[in-house]
Amino acid sequence: EAEAEAEVRLLLQEAQESIEAARSYRRELEQRLRGLHQARKQIRESATLTRDVLEQHFNDLKGTLKKLLDERLMSLLQEVDAIEQESIKPLDECQKLIEHGVSTANELLQEGESAVHGDVGPQNEKLCSFTKKALHIQLDSLPEVPSLVDVPCLSAQLDDCLLTILKNQIFRHGTVASRPPVQLEEFVEKPGGILVRWCKVDDDFIPQDYRLQYRKGTASHFEDVYVGSETEFMVLHIDPNVDYQFRVCARGDGRQEWSPWSIPQTGCTTLVPHEWTAGLEGYSLSSRRNIALRNDSQSCGVLYSKAPTYVCGQTLTFRQTVGQPDRRDSLGVCVEQQNGFDSLQRDKAVCISTNGAVFVNGKEMTNQLPAVTSGSTVTFDMEVVQLGPPSNEGGNFKLRVTISSNNREVVFDWVLDQCCVSLYFGCSFSYPGWKVLVF
C-alpha cells in the first residue's frame, strides 16, 4: 500500500508538472499570438497610411502640374496676343493712309468731272482750280504695302520630348519601402533627460544625416530635436515618469529627401533632473535651474545642487561657457553642502579646476587634465569598489572616480569614511561670464 501511495503521489506530481508546463506553453503561445496580431496590425495600418500618403502626394502633383501647365499656356497666349497687336498696328496705319487717299481721289474725280462738264463761263475757273489741286495732291505717290513674306506668320513650336522626359521622371518618382533603413536601438535614463541611440538596419543604405523627433505623451505633432551625423543624442528637458515617443529617419548620401520614419518607440526617465540651488547671490539660474551663470556680484561661494541627485553608476556632465579663469575655480561633487568655502577644493569633495588641476579632498593630484574650454564637457563617473571594514587609508568606503575633459581622463580611488551613493554637485567661479549646464 505504501508503494502504491508513493506511486500515486509521484504520478500526481508529474501530472501537476505537466499541467504547469501546459499552462506555461499556452501562455507563451498566446503571447506569440498577440505578437502576430500586432505585426499584422502594423502591416495593415502602415499599408493604409502609405496608400493615403501616395494618393495625397500624386493628387497634389496633378493639381500643381495642371496649374503650371495653365500658367504656361496663359503666358504663351499672351505672347501671341502681343505679337499680333504689334504686327497689326503698322498695317492699320497703312490702311488708314490708303483709305484717306481713296477718299481724296474720289473727291478729286468728282471735282474734275464737274469742271469738265460744267458751263463754259465758269468752266475755265473750275479747270484751273482742279488742275492746281491735282498737282498739289501728288497723284504719283503711293504708300508701300509689305509683302506677305515680310509680315509675321505666327506658329507654335511644341516639342514632344517633354512628354518623354515627364514620363521617365514620373515612372522613377517615388518608392515603397518595406521597412525604414534606421531604427531606434536604445533609451538610457538620465536625470531630466534620455540618451537616445539608433542604428542603421539596411546594409545597402549609406546615411549622410539623421533626424530625430519626439513628442510628449499623445501630443499630435512630433518636433525635431536633432539633425546631424551622430547615432545618439541626449534629449534634455524631459519630465520624469512621463512617456515620450521618439522616431528617427535618415537622408542618403547625396540625397535631399528623408527616408521613411522608424517605428515610433516610447521612452521615459524615472530620474529627477539635476538642479542648482536658487538664491545664491553670485549666480543667476535658468528657468529650469539646470544652467547657472556667474554674474557680476562680488559675492563668492560654492553653488551646490538642490539635492544629492548624482547617483554612483551614472555619468554627471558639465558643459560650460568660459570666463576669466582663476586657480580657485572648481567643478565637481561632494558628500555634503558646506557653507563658508569659496571652492570645492576641500575635504569630502573631488573637483577639477578651470586650469585642469584635479583635487581630491583638497589635495591636488599629480595628474592634470587640459584646461576647460568654451563648449567642452567635463564628465564625472563613479562606481563603488569597496564597502566594508576600515582600510589602511582610514576609510571603509571607496569610490572609483573617472573625470574626463577634452578627450583625456584621470582615474583614481576616493576613500571616504561613510557610505555615499548619492552626492551633491557644485561649482565655484571667481569672475563673471562662466555659464554651466549640468545634466
Side-chain angles (χ1 to χ4, degrees), residues 23 57 171 174:
R23 286 176 179 168
H57 177 74
F171 283 166

Side-chain angles (χ1 to χ4, degrees), residues 371-392:
V372 175
T373 57
S374 188
S376 66
T377 58
V378 176
T379 62
F380 287 75
D381 290 275
M382 299 188 185
E383 60 177 339
V384 179
V385 294
Q386 180 178 318
L387 180 61
S391 65
N392 295 331

Side-chain angles (χ1 to χ4, degrees), residues 198-411:
W198 54 89
C199 62
K200 183 170 71 78
V201 295
D202 185 351
D203 294 336
D204 297 329
F205 184 79
I206 302 176
Q208 174 180 305
D209 292 308
Y210 297 99
R211 181 182 180 188
L212 178 67
Q213 289 189 336
Y214 82 127
R215 67 181 179 185
K216 185 176 181 180
T218 57
S220 57
H221 297 293
F222 281 90
E223 299 179 16
D224 283 340
V225 68
Y226 173 77
V227 175
S229 59
E230 300 295 328
T231 56
E232 67 176 35
F233 182 74
M234 170 71 74
V235 183
L236 298 175
H237 306 156
I238 295 293
D239 296 329
N241 302 308
V242 174
D243 286 340
Y244 288 80
Q245 277 198 325
F246 296 86
R247 65 182 186 181
V248 66
C249 66
R251 181 163 49 197
D253 189 23
R255 305 295 294 270
Q256 294 296 322
E257 70 277 6
W258 292 99
S259 73
W261 290 105
S262 66
I263 299 171
Q265 295 189 36
T266 301
C268 71
T269 180
T270 58
L271 307 176
V272 297
H274 293 317
E275 294 183 10
W276 298 103
T277 299
L280 189 62
E281 185 177 349
Y283 294 88
S284 304
L285 305 184
S286 63
S287 59
R288 289 182 175 266
R289 294 188 291 277
N290 61 340
I291 299 177
L293 172 66
R294 180 67 167 93
N295 56 36
D296 295 333
S297 172
Q298 297 300 317
S299 299
C300 11
V302 178
L303 176 66
Y304 292 101
S305 58
K306 183 179 178 181
T309 53
Y310 174 60
V311 179
C312 293
Q314 299 176 2
T315 298
L316 179 69
T317 304
F318 299 99
R319 182 177 297 153
Q320 55 281 318
T321 300
V322 300
Q324 181 181 344
D326 184 88
R327 66 180 186 85
R328 295 292 295 167
D329 294 340
S330 60
L331 283 168
V333 296
C334 56
V335 174
E336 58 191 8
Q337 298 180 356
Q338 291 186 11
N339 297 323
F341 289 90
D342 61 357
S343 174
L344 283 174
Q345 300 170 18
R346 60 168 177 80
D347 188 35
K348 295 184 178 181
V350 295
C351 66
I352 177 176
S353 177
T354 54
N355 63 7
V358 178
F359 292 84
V360 182
N361 292 331
K363 297 180 180 179
E364 184 175 354
M365 293 183 61
T366 304
N367 294 336
Q368 185 166 333
L369 292 170
V372 175
T373 57
S374 188
S376 66
T377 58
V378 176
T379 62
F380 287 75
D381 290 275
M382 299 188 185
E383 60 177 339
V384 179
V385 294
Q386 180 178 318
L387 180 61
S391 65
N392 295 331
E393 296 174 329
N396 64 347
F397 187 74
K398 184 185 295 185
L399 294 175
R400 180 145 301 153
V401 182
T402 303
I403 306 177
S404 302
S405 177
N406 287 324
N407 298 320
R408 287 182 57 187
E409 65 179 29
V410 293
V411 182

